[in-house]
Amino acid sequence: MGVTAIVGANWGDEGKGKITDYLAGRSDFVVRFQGGKNAGHTIINDYGKFALHLLPSGVFFQNVTNILATAMAVDVEAFLNERQELLSRGVPDPRILISERAQMVLPYHILFDEYEEERLADRKFGSTKSGIAPFYADKYMKIGVQAADLFDEQRLLGRLSTALEPKNVLLEHLYGKSPIDPAELVPVLMKHGEAIRPFLADTGAILHEALKEGKTVLMEGQLGALRDPDHGIYPYPTSSSTLAGFASVGAGIAPHAIDTVIAVTKAYSSCVGAGPFVTEIFGDEAEELRRRGGSGGEYGATTGRPRRMGWFDTVATRYGCRVQGATEAALTLLDVLGYRDEIPVCTAYEIDGGKTNEFPVPARLDQSRPVLETLKGWKSDITAVRTFSDLPREAQAYVRFIEERIDVPVKWISVGPGRENKNRMG
Ligand code: GDP
């Protein structure tokens, strides 16, 4: 009963999709409350292996209503393609609703994302070039376009003309590209409107009623706590809040409706894109962990980029769990470490000769060095283990060691990418 938020405690790619997929089957609604197609959840189930970008992870269940909520960045073409791919691979037509107040990623958001990364060259942010930063910038500049705007030609032309006036100056004089004619965009966007019309709804009202009826709702976070624009590793966050606290805002429900917050964290660290990453490892050691990690290696679900690898960071994760307001944690990918004789874990940061286990402000992260403690590995395949007590003693000790330092009970452990590879502690 009630509302559960599943969110990342780290830099993203923690395996939230797998945990959501597991819990979605028992839910009435699965809701994406922020972000767009810039991140991906990998889900492996009876239909195959899927990388979901915009669609909520409940799309594989017929009993679930999947909601793309108001604070999402909706890219219509990407949405239609992703849905079509599911259908063409034999997934039954999922129930999907899009908030009529959600704003649209427009073709020029993607262009500006590309041009700006190009201009920044070696200072670039490592954007996925999905238009997300220009999209949210426009939203807060109040020049964005809501789904419901796509059905009124004059209103749409007015919105686009206002938005494009300064953008065309930048296009021509900063980026050296051709300007965009708003009148040419209108028919394209109105066509998008028609394509998503069957999915549009007042999703806030629907969720409000559902909660009154005692329905079960899962809020699905994208990326992780350290990518939050306020509490993360600024200036390397994503452009919308990744925190459970924002889920109620993004979906339009009461903040007190969320009663469970599951912070997902992986048994080692990985990070895509630029920014400080204190426990990062390099060379052969990193390559081996990357190759053995995830399902088929640690490569971005959206971009295919190799992920940066590191040891588990209790400093960053305790902070991540705190800002998420985690009531419990899920530790994923424990199986991956089965090849190690010894496993380093970061328990503190050394900054300017001092030691701390408080996650510092971004300005101090570059000077932070990890203090590592080494735990014994279990040197075995644990993918078939289903209860905590059946895990090798060393694996149990590893989980307990982490649990003590992140201040949140580890309620879930994942030991493989498939639906069946999970166990619950206790
Ligand atoms: P998300 O965005 O947080 O859902 O994470 P991703 O899907 O980007 O990355 C997680 C990767 O790990 C995916 O390839 C999953 O299939 C895989 N995965 C999730 N849990 C486990 C696990 O317990 N063990 C293994 N080996 N792979 C896992």
Side-chain angles (χ1 to χ4, degrees), residues 99-371:
S99 168
E100 60 196 3
R101 288 181 165 80
Q103 297 203 6
M104 304 291 109
V105 175
L106 303 175
Y108 54 76
H109 292 139
I110 296 168
L111 292 180
F112 272 88
D113 206 351
E114 280 171 21
Y115 297 160
E116 184 57 11
E117 285 282 281
E118 221 171 86
R119 188 185 72 83
L120 287 169
D122 56 1
R123 290 173 293 146
K124 70 180 180 209
F125 288 96
S127 162
T128 59
K129 299 182 187 144
S130 311
I132 301 301
F135 165 90
Y136 281 107
D138 279 8
K139 178 171 175 169
Y140 293 107
M141 285 280 282
K142 300 171 288 275
I143 53 173
V145 169
Q146 290 190 329
D149 294 330
L150 300 175
F151 304 99
D152 179 335
E153 190 172 349
Q154 282 317 307
R155 182 180 166 87
L156 185 56
L157 182 62
R159 308 275 319 140
L160 294 174
S161 302
T162 307
L164 281 166
E165 218 173 286
K167 286 184 196 300
N168 277 337
V169 177
L170 290 176
L171 279 174
E172 282 190 89
H173 301 288
L174 180 65
Y175 299 118
K177 310 281 181 188
S178 309
I180 296 167
D181 179 357
E184 278 180 22
L185 255 188
V186 170
V188 177
L189 297 186
M190 290 190 77
K191 224 169 126 198
H192 285 174
E194 286 312 318
I196 57 165
R197 196 194 275 275
F199 303 99
L200 295 182
D202 183 348
T203 54
I206 289 170
L207 285 171
H208 182 74
E209 285 308 311
L211 290 176
K212 276 209 294 205
E213 288 166 18
K215 298 274 203 269
T216 305
V217 178
L218 266 194
M219 296 283 181
E220 182 176 21
Q222 180 215 33
L223 295 164
L226 304 172
R227 297 290 187 193
D228 182 74
D230 287 299
H231 300 280
I233 51 169
Y234 197 86
Y236 299 99
T238 188
S239 304
S240 61
S241 176
T242 54
L243 302 183
F246 185 73
S248 57
V249 177
I253 61 163
H256 50 78
I258 299 174
D259 43 33
T260 305
V261 177
I262 304 177
V264 184
T265 183
K266 61 211 285 183
Y268 51 90
S269 299
S270 75
C271 167
V272 175
F277 181 26
V278 175
T279 65
E280 185 164 14
I281 54 175
F282 301 92
D284 293 348
E285 198 174 42
E287 190 43 47
E288 176 149 40
L289 185 54
R290 183 177 301 115
R291 185 170 54 78
R292 292 175 179 268
S295 48
E298 290 282 0
Y299 299 91
T302 299
T303 56
R305 288 183 290 189
R307 292 176 179 153
R308 298 160 68 194
M309 308 303 299
W311 301 124
F312 192 90
D313 183 337
T314 63
V315 178
T317 308
R318 187 165 65 101
Y319 174 80
C321 287
R322 171 160 71 75
V323 295
Q324 288 291 12
T327 56
E328 54 195 70
L331 186 69
T332 58
L333 296 124
L334 188 63
D335 53 300
V336 169
L337 295 173
Y339 73 98
R340 297 275 316 175
D341 292 320
E342 292 186 323
I343 311 168
V345 175
C346 170
T347 53
Y349 289 177
E350 215 173 81
I351 310 175
D352 298 335
K355 239 191 203 182
T356 180
N357 57 13
E358 294 296 333
F359 192 68
V361 290
R364 307 262 292 159
L365 274 173
D366 283 339
Q367 295 102 276
S368 302
R369 299 284 164 266
V371 176

Side-chain angles (χ1 to χ4, degrees), residues 8 12-20 39-44 49-50 52 57 220-223 264 266 268 270 292-302 307 331-336 383 413-418 421-422:
D13 309 319
E14 296 94 346
K16 297 175 294 297
K18 146 125 195 228
I19 303 288
T20 315
H41 289 318
T42 310
I43 294 184
I44 299 173
K49 179 172 178 175
F50 296 86
L52 296 182
S57 300
E220 182 176 21
Q222 180 215 33
L223 295 164
V264 184
K266 61 211 285 183
Y268 51 90
S270 75
R292 292 175 179 268
S295 48
E298 290 282 0
Y299 299 91
T302 299
R307 292 176 179 153
L331 186 69
T332 58
L333 296 124
L334 188 63
D335 53 300
V336 169
T383 50
I413 297 173
S414 173
V415 292
N421 304 118
K422 83 267 157 195

